[in-house]
Amino acid sequence: MRTTLKLVLPLIISVALVSLLFAAYQVRVQRKNLRNDVSRRAELLAESLQEAVEPLFEKNERNSEKAMQRVVDRFAQREHMQGIAVYESDKGLRVMNSSLGESFKQPPGAMKRSIELNAGQGEFTQAAGVPVFIYSVPLTRGEKTSGALLVVFDTSYIDSRVLLTLRDALLTALLETLLVSGLALVLVRWTFLNPLQRTAKWLRTLRAGETQIPASLPQGEIFDQLNREMTHLARDLGAARAAAAEEAQLRETHASVWTAERLRISLRSKLRGKPLFVVSNREPYMHVKGDRGPEVLVPASGLVTALEPVLVASDGTWVAHGSGSADRENVDASDRLRVPPDLPSYTLRRVWLTHEEVKGYYEGFANEGLWPLCHIAHTRPTFRPEDWLQYQQANRRFADAVLQEMDGVETPIVLAQDYHFALLPKMVKEARPDARVAIFWHIPWPNPEVFGICPWQKEVLDGLLGADLIGFHTQTHCNNFLETVDRALEALTEWDRFAVNRQGHVTRVRPYPISVAFSNGKPLQEWRNAGGERARLCEELGVEGSLLGVGVDRVDYTKGILERFRGIERFIEMNPAYRRRFAFVQIAAPSRTDIPRYQQFLDEVTAEADRVNARFQSGKWKPIVLLRRHHSHQEIGRFYRAASLCMVTSLHDGMNLVAKEFIAARDDEHGVLILSTFAGAALELTDALQVNPYDVQQVAAAILQALEMPDQEQAARIHRMRTTVKDHNVYRWAANLLSDLTDIRIDTPERQENLAAPGEESEEVRR
Ligand code: ADQ
């Protein structure tokens, strides 16, 4: 209360002062008006009496005195009137009303002045202690002013009226002050103090270790800003605490787990103050037009999680396609902006592409050509000369942007991402031979016969070999690449150190299995038990079933979604006891929908789910629940944690992060992973139930095995897989890749560097 009073005291004083000033003004105006009124009335009366009295005064006779007395007596009856008197200038008083009293026997000053000036004269004065107004008009006899007529008004009523007004005005001022102050007190408490107290309470709980952001934060322009900052602060504090706890725990267990912090510190010393340049098609932060101005979208990406700590530590630059609808309005004149928006720490350089370029380079050559070519999923690649032209042009555009960004930086470090940039390493290296350039290929590399289908395989290989280091997920992909180079190009393939030597330039080829950020600390979201979560999810979806399975994919023909549905169909067919008990939720994000094959595949997936459901559906139960939309990571996390099994049945996959995300999410050590042997992840996650997705019988059997697996076995398998994913998380991936890149000797490429042997890690990363 005291704080509130302190806050509103200046307001109370101001309101009181203004009210008092207004009261004083009112009183002044009233006094003036009443005085004007009485003087006007006196003047009018005196002038009309002057006309009546002057003839009698002129006669100067005894009986005229009586007549004058009658006139003054008759007129003296008016309101507030004290009386009338007539004076002779040399003889003094001639007639007056008795009410005037002794003090008027002597002529007052006003009378003398009116005779001297021969004009009406008035004054406010006191007579016998009573306030009066006197007005005097001259009386003439012949041509000479010889006397005066005096009108006297009692003005004590003016003071009493003014006093009354003053009292009312003071009362009003007091009431106003009380009302305004009361309202101000309530408003301040309501709109400021209470929300501030709630925020302060939250800060206290935050200090005590609670990282949860309260559901109802104070709203409003000021608070929105405050909330934004506080929320960031809470998140940062939570992350810092989790990192510290994780570090402490790791030290305790002597584990060599990589964390964002360890990566940041390690790479900072490796980069020796040099910035890192990352090139990818997709940007880490995208601006889109929203109803209330531009909004920032953060596409969920493991890559951002892994590379951001290094970019922040090195104040690096990320070059990417500006594909957001409000991207152009949110860059400076050099197409740059600082990110992350909450705490700008590195540069995002946006590259603009025309509609034709996007169609040819991204949709055409990359996604209709290289994607199906590299995945053995029996969708024919399409190679169009015009797409190839656009691919070259787009690579040139990105290369120019990187070159511009690294102008003035000595021996810069560049990491390009994926099959969109096969030509960029050579373009960069030709212009900047001092640069260390790596490219990470996120999809499989097929055998030489398959890659030979690409009409421009030589140019693609030539572009890639401009890099000093090429990374794949698995050793098999590395081997396929080296064999392809062996067959297609005139180059020295050094199988002993997994490198290609072309006219003195050495390209190392290494496997770096990508992963997820495995959080060791306390989960930010309160853990809810799987059973409860499952019941809630089923209710939200309107699904019947006590056992849930989950699949999470972009709707892509490489992910084996149709084969998965057929496996579920066979399982239900063979195990009727699971009808109405087991439901499979397929989270399916439509992807690349501008490409006809993808539109067609989305229809196929929908039709297949409908077909299987139509066979078995009964009441509220159906075997497949297809959710055709992008889900947030939080939403997906709920399904991961509630499911009894997760199915990854890719026909071919570089790695597959869904498999690792599922394992990372299950800190209850429950749940079974069914994993395709054709996903890169199968090499590491050997405790998954591995299946050939084309073998419908095997898939159905794996589902049964998963649902009937004893808890103990589930726990043992998932525990081992969690250890693997925790040790080989995405930070380790970045550490391995970037530390190998920084270890490369540019000046003497022929000399054997300190690089770890293929498939092994450097001593420093292993530690
Ligand atoms: P992708 O082919 O996209 O990646 P994947 O590794 O499974 O495949 O990663 C997909 C990511 O998207 C996961 O993080 C997943 O959670 C998310 N996702 C999938 N469906 C979603 C949905 N419906 N809503 C929201 N998010 C969804 C390529 C290669 C992979 C390789 C990665 C990383 O094809 O083999 O593992 O790059 O290198």
Side-chain angles (χ1 to χ4, degrees):
M1 187 68 186
R2 270 180 44 200
T3 327
T4 325
L5 258 179
K6 261 192 203 161
L7 271 175
V8 295
L9 196 63
L11 182 71
I12 297 176
I13 294 174
S14 314
V15 172
L17 270 177
V18 170
S19 304
L20 284 175
L21 279 173
F22 187 64
Y25 173 74
Q26 264 183 309
V27 165
R28 251 193 90 200
V29 168
Q30 199 195 22
R31 183 188 290 280
K32 197 171 151 210
N33 288 345
L34 288 170
R35 282 182 160 218
N36 283 347
D37 180 57
V38 78
S39 61
R40 212 176 48 252
R41 276 168 57 207
E43 196 179 327
L44 279 173
L45 182 65
E47 277 166 7
S48 54
L49 275 172
Q50 187 186 26
E51 282 175 24
V53 169
E54 210 156 37
L56 300 170
F57 181 79
E58 262 200 327
K59 284 184 189 159
N60 202 10
E61 291 165 359
R62 196 161 181 76
N63 56 352
S64 66
E65 203 127 301
K66 279 194 185 145
M68 275 197 294
Q69 186 68 46
R70 271 198 305 278
V71 173
V72 298
D73 285 345
R74 199 170 74 238
F75 280 91
Q77 302 309 316
R78 313 221 157 171
E79 196 189 9
H80 304 308
M81 181 121 205
Q82 204 176 38
I84 301 163
V86 178
Y87 297 90
E88 191 83 39
S89 38
D90 45 0
K91 291 187 207 142
L93 178 70
R94 286 204 42 194
V95 291
M96 75 169 193
N97 301 117
S98 56
S99 55
L100 279 181
E102 290 296 309
S103 54
F104 281 93
K105 289 204 168 143
Q106 291 305 315
M111 181 218 117
K112 289 179 191 151
R113 278 199 309 280
S114 79
I115 293 173
E116 273 163 30
L117 300 170
N118 192 23
Q121 289 295 307
E123 70 177 3
F124 286 91
T125 180
Q126 298 259 338
V130 178
V132 290
F133 178 71
I134 297 169
Y135 193 79
S136 171
V137 284
L139 296 172
T140 51
R141 190 176 289 129
E143 289 297 294
K144 202 170 156 235
T145 307
S146 341
L149 180 131
L150 203 71
V151 179
V152 182
F153 276 84
D154 179 351
T155 57
S156 53
Y157 78 96
I158 293 184
D159 289 340
S160 22
R161 283 221 199 142
V162 164
L163 266 177
L164 271 180
T165 309
L166 183 64
R167 192 198 63 189
D168 289 351
L170 285 176
L171 268 175
T172 315
L174 186 69
L175 273 177
E176 274 171 8
T177 309
L178 284 176
L179 200 73
V180 172
S181 317
L183 275 175
L185 279 171
V186 172
L187 275 175
V188 165
R189 274 199 89 81
W190 199 31
T191 54
F192 287 103
L193 289 182
N194 287 352
L196 280 176
Q197 272 165 1
R198 259 190 293 152
T199 310
K201 194 170 151 206
W202 172 37
L203 279 179
R204 262 199 308 280
T205 55
L206 193 69
R207 207 154 36 88
E210 177 57 75
T211 47
Q212 200 81 338
I213 294 153
S216 69
L217 282 173
Q219 307 272 304
E221 205 176 320
I222 307 170
F223 290 110
D224 285 351
Q225 275 181 27
L226 192 67
N227 290 343
R228 261 198 303 279
E229 292 307 322
M230 300 284 301
T231 307
H232 294 324
L233 192 69
R235 292 226 169 94
D236 289 353
L237 190 61
R241 274 213 187 102
E246 194 172 14
E247 288 289 334
Q249 201 181 342
L250 295 173
R251 263 198 306 278
E252 186 75 17
T253 54
H254 306 291
S256 66
V257 172
W258 278 83
T259 61
E261 190 58 10
R262 184 173 165 195
L263 178 67
R264 195 176 65 79
I265 291 167
S266 160
L267 262 297
R268 187 155 57 190
S269 70
K270 283 230 154 207
L271 291 167
R272 274 183 244 109
K274 276 195 234 71
L276 171 69
F277 296 90
V278 173
V279 192
S280 74
N281 178 67
R282 193 146 53 129
E283 49 187 345
Y285 298 92
M286 178 190 277
H287 283 92
V288 291
K289 288 182 181 143
D291 294 339
R292 301 195 317 182
E295 286 167 17
V296 182
L297 284 191
V298 187
S301 154
L303 210 58
V304 181
T305 313
L307 296 179
E308 202 153 70
V310 189
L311 282 159
V312 169
S314 68
D315 195 359
T317 299
W318 192 314
V319 179
H321 173 207
S323 56
S325 53
D327 272 354
R328 282 180 194 262
E329 292 93 84
N330 287 284
V331 288
D332 64 14
S334 315
D335 300 327
R336 297 187 187 117
L337 72 155
R338 298 286 288 173
V339 287
D342 303 346
L343 191 64
S345 320
Y346 68 95
T347 302
L348 169 59
R349 163 74 191 270
R350 286 179 172 151
V351 174
W352 314 117
L353 297 176
T354 62
H355 179 66
E356 286 68 38
E357 278 168 336
V358 172
K359 280 220 111 26
Y361 135 83
Y362 178 74
E363 288 170 14
F365 194 77
N367 284 332
E368 288 187 288
L370 289 177
W371 176 269
L373 179 77
C374 291
H375 288 92
I376 305 162
H378 313 289
T379 288
R380 285 171 67 127
T382 307
F383 290 108
R384 303 179 194 94
E386 57 274 25
D387 290 349
W388 170 238
L389 270 178
Q390 297 292 1
Y391 188 82
Q392 293 172 82
Q393 198 167 307
N395 269 248
R396 168 55 59 200
R397 210 182 272 282
F398 279 91
D400 287 348
V402 193
L403 288 168
Q404 202 180 24
E405 292 302 317
M406 55 198 213
D407 195 26
V409 179
E410 259 179 59
T411 57
I413 309 236
V414 184
L415 175 57
Q417 298 295 328
D418 234 349
Y419 58 100
H420 311 100
F421 298 114
L423 308 180
L424 181 135
K426 186 178 179 198
M427 291 173 177
V428 171
K429 203 67 184 179
E430 271 176 356
R432 290 292 302 266
D434 64 322
R436 286 184 176 82
V437 181
I439 180 161
F440 188 78
W441 195 262
H442 287 259
I443 61 176
W445 191 277
N447 63 39
E449 289 75 23
V450 171
F451 202 80
I453 293 170
C454 175
W456 300 282
Q457 71 155 333
K458 284 200 167 115
E459 288 84 342
V460 168
L461 291 171
D462 192 43
L464 281 168
L465 289 172
D468 301 295
L469 178 65
I470 303 178
F472 293 99
H473 289 300
T474 69
Q475 187 60 51
T476 311
H477 301 156
C478 295
N479 295 353
N480 285 348
F481 177 78
L482 287 174
E483 275 172 24
T484 311
V485 172
D486 232 4
R487 297 255 190 108
L489 297 182
E490 300 244 334
L492 178 62
T493 313
E494 300 177 16
W495 283 95
D496 54 337
R497 62 166 178 154
F498 283 83
V500 179
N501 192 331
R502 291 188 84 205
Q503 292 128 24
H505 176 249
V506 178
T507 305
R508 297 91 186 148
V509 182
R510 294 280 187 284
Y512 302 98
I514 204 165
S515 191
V516 293
F518 188 102
S519 167
N520 224 20
K522 193 177 155 205
L524 282 183
Q525 274 206 321
E526 198 55 28
W527 164 255
R528 298 202 250 180
N529 74 59
E533 190 73 318
R534 185 163 52 244
R536 256 187 301 275
L537 280 172
C538 287
E539 199 186 313
E540 282 168 31
L541 296 172
V543 174
E544 197 182 313
S546 52
L547 297 164
L548 272 191
V550 68
V552 181
D553 306 81
R554 287 185 301 102
V555 182
D556 192 299
Y557 50 79
T558 60
K559 301 294 180 185
I561 302 173
L562 298 178
E563 289 70 12
R564 191 177 311 169
F565 289 174
R566 285 170 204 149
I568 294 165
E569 178 185 21
R570 177 60 61 93
F571 164 74
I572 300 288
E573 206 172 66
M574 292 176 59
N575 301 282
Y578 280 95
R579 291 182 192 188
R580 305 186 76 111
R581 277 182 69 205
F582 173 71
F584 184 81
V585 178
Q586 176 63 51
I587 299 180
S591 169
R592 305 175 188 169
T593 44
D594 288 333
I595 299 172
R597 176 70 187 104
Y598 280 81
Q599 286 166 13
Q600 180 199 344
F601 187 68
L602 185 58
D603 293 342
E604 285 172 23
V605 165
T606 313
E608 194 64 359
D610 289 346
R611 186 188 65 75
V612 176
N613 283 339
R615 267 193 77 187
F616 302 109
Q617 195 154 8
S618 89
K620 262 176 78 185
W621 177 79
K622 56 182 175 181
I624 298 170
V625 181
L626 180 61
L627 304 178
R628 285 177 24 157
R629 72 168 172 87
H630 182 87
H631 285 60
S632 71
H633 263 239
Q634 274 83 353
E635 288 176 300
I636 294 176
R638 288 183 70 201
F639 284 97
Y640 283 150
R641 287 193 291 266
S644 303
L645 60 88
C646 173
M647 291 182 82
V648 174
T649 51
S650 314
L651 305 180
H652 202 186
D653 217 333
M655 173 55 65
N656 195 290
L657 292 178
V658 171
K660 293 187 175 180
E661 285 168 1
F662 174 69
I663 299 298
R666 298 310 295 253
D667 52 4
D668 63 340
E669 299 199 335
H670 269 75
V672 180
L673 175 66
I674 296 175
L675 178 60
S676 163
T677 51
F678 306 129
L683 288 176
E684 291 169 271
L685 304 178
T686 47
D687 275 292
L689 299 183
Q690 297 205 354
V691 293
N692 169 0
Y694 295 94
D695 185 342
V696 86
Q697 196 64 36
Q698 196 188 26
V699 175
I703 297 174
L704 181 66
Q705 190 187 347
L707 292 177
E708 300 199 339
M709 188 181 283
D711 282 356
Q712 232 178 350
E713 188 183 344
Q714 286 188 29
R717 283 174 182 260
I718 216 154
H719 181 81
R720 286 192 292 267
M721 290 194 281
R722 281 175 67 77
T723 307
T724 305
V725 177
K726 183 165 81 178
D727 285 350
H728 294 86
N729 61 19
V730 74
Y731 302 116
R732 191 181 200 116
W733 170 82
N736 268 321
L737 178 56
L738 290 171
S739 73
D740 278 358
L741 182 60
T742 51
D743 284 348
I744 285 171
R745 292 201 180 128
I746 302 289
D747 44 347
T748 52
E750 291 302 331
R751 280 179 56 191
Q752 193 86 22
E753 296 98 353
N754 208 6
L755 231 61
E760 290 195 356
E761 295 170 323
S762 69
E763 183 58 29
E764 208 179 326
V765 176
R766 219 171 28 241
R767 251 188 293 125

